[in-house]
Amino acid sequence: MRIQRFGRGHPELRQLRHQHQWKMETAYALPLIREGSSAYVRNVETEVQLLQAGRHLLPITVNYAEYSNSYVCSPYSTYVRYAQEELYLLQSRLLKKTLGTVIGGIGPLLKMAGIDQNVHVNNWLLSTNLYEPIEGEVLRELTRRLTGEFPGHALIFRSLNRVTNADMMEKLRRLGYILVPSRQVYFFDGRSPDYLRKKNNKWDRKLLENAPYDLVEHEAIQPEDYPRIKELYDLLYIKKYSPINPQFTTAYIENAHRQKLIRMRGLRDGEGVLQGVVGCFVRGGVMTVPIVGYNTALPQRTGLYRMLMSMVLQEAAERSMLLHLSSGAAHFKRLRGGKPAIEYSAVYVRHLPAGRRIVWELLSFLLNRVGVPIMRRYRL
């Protein structure tokens, strides 16, 4: 089995573009490798490489201590910065205060343990990474190889859940990976789309059908739309939600659209201006939606978010796919038939010094015993 890393300047890097079976992986990762991650995701400083592991070609990211990074490659941002921002969702004032104190207390400990010194495997720098099935032998060999080449780094597989990754999670657990919960996510099964019968989905569909917008398909999106797509995404995910979300640049939008890596659709008004956009990413037979944006200055009664989600739910049914609709807007998703699941990172730390191992194990213990029950109880 061949295990080979390809980074900037590697003599074989160009040849990968001509391997048809890896067309998607190379189209996505090569620009990030050549020009640097921040040219495409503004708040991510990381070294992007490609890892060939048998028949698989996986994007990997290498970090050391970039604690201001987006959570897509910073566990510190996931478990401290983002967690602090999400405290407002809790209804109990006492619980907010208690958890705020705990999170503030563990932050310095996580930094001391070098929690952001890691290699993320299969990291697409999206809010949700999707996986093709990976054989146990491949997982074992890439773990052995990467721990040898990065003896001071934790190895992380992010965005795992028992709906789509149960087999892989068990394989990684047997190899010695620990499971660290991160968030609660929601699924809609387009293979048996009973959710379309929900009254909220019917209302949303009717709203979309009667809306004064033209539905724009991927092929009808033009280069002049790229800055607008970025603007709409920023209005929702960066300005309304959190600047810790990945901040895609116009160059990222352009590459994702031109290479058809993310299927984009939009709502265009009578003046020809996009007022809403969604982008679907498919891998391993699962669909997720890393790009959602709309004009948040328009009145909420306009229902742009409802229309965009109706488009996505209908597309999942038409393509007969399982839809991973990530986290956030939990009440909205539950009303429309979303099924919750806890998402984890699988982390390998057996090769690290005892102090760093203990901190990761403590984090896993606390989140499994305290974090998961809170997420379930408050339906986050």
Side-chain angles (χ1 to χ4, degrees), residues 59-118:
I60 67 172
T61 57
V62 183
N63 280 96
Y64 293 85
E66 294 80 11
Y67 295 107
S68 61
N69 265 347
S70 168
Y71 60 80
V72 296
C73 58
S74 168
Y76 181 83
S77 291
T78 299
Y79 298 114
V80 177
R81 297 173 63 213
Y82 207 93
Q84 288 172 329
E85 290 188 358
E86 294 284 280
L87 287 174
Y88 80 94
L89 294 171
L90 300 175
Q91 298 173 355
S92 168
R93 186 174 300 177
L94 177 61
L95 186 58
K96 286 181 188 178
K97 184 176 181 180
T98 302
L99 288 180
T101 301
V102 171
I103 294 168
I106 68 171
L109 180 63
L110 297 182
K111 283 189 174 182
M112 287 177 58
I115 194 171
D116 275 6
Q117 187 171 344
N118 55 63

Side-chain angles (χ1 to χ4, degrees), residues 82-194:
Y82 207 93
Q84 288 172 329
E85 290 188 358
E86 294 284 280
L87 287 174
Y88 80 94
L89 294 171
L90 300 175
Q91 298 173 355
S92 168
R93 186 174 300 177
L94 177 61
L95 186 58
K96 286 181 188 178
K97 184 176 181 180
T98 302
L99 288 180
T101 301
V102 171
I103 294 168
I106 68 171
L109 180 63
L110 297 182
K111 283 189 174 182
M112 287 177 58
I115 194 171
D116 275 6
Q117 187 171 344
N118 55 63
V119 175
H120 278 89
V121 183
N122 191 54
N123 192 6
W124 295 76
L125 301 180
L126 301 174
S127 56
T128 300
N129 288 322
L130 299 177
Y131 291 82
E132 300 279 358
I134 304 178
E135 302 82 1
E137 180 185 355
V138 172
L139 293 171
R140 182 183 302 108
E141 184 59 24
L142 71 82
T143 299
R144 185 194 67 80
R145 179 67 176 265
L146 289 176
T147 52
E149 295 179 357
F150 297 97
H153 287 63
L155 303 186
I156 303 177
F157 289 81
R158 192 170 57 84
S159 306
L160 299 173
N161 66 84
R162 290 192 171 91
V163 176
T164 59
N165 313 114
D167 181 61
M168 184 175 174
M169 288 173 66
E170 180 59 22
K171 290 174 182 175
L172 291 170
R173 189 191 63 78
R174 290 177 181 175
L175 290 173
Y177 284 76
I178 60 175
L179 298 177
V180 186
S182 54
R183 59 181 184 166
Q184 187 157 246
V185 297
Y186 290 86
F187 287 92
F188 294 81
D189 195 343
R191 299 166 300 185
S192 180
D194 294 339

Side-chain angles (χ1 to χ4, degrees), residues 365-379:
F365 176 83
L366 288 174
L367 289 170
N368 275 292
R369 291 297 183 91
V370 180
V372 170
I374 289 174
M375 285 187 272
R376 287 176 172 156
R377 178 177 179 181
Y378 288 94
R379 297 188 167 190

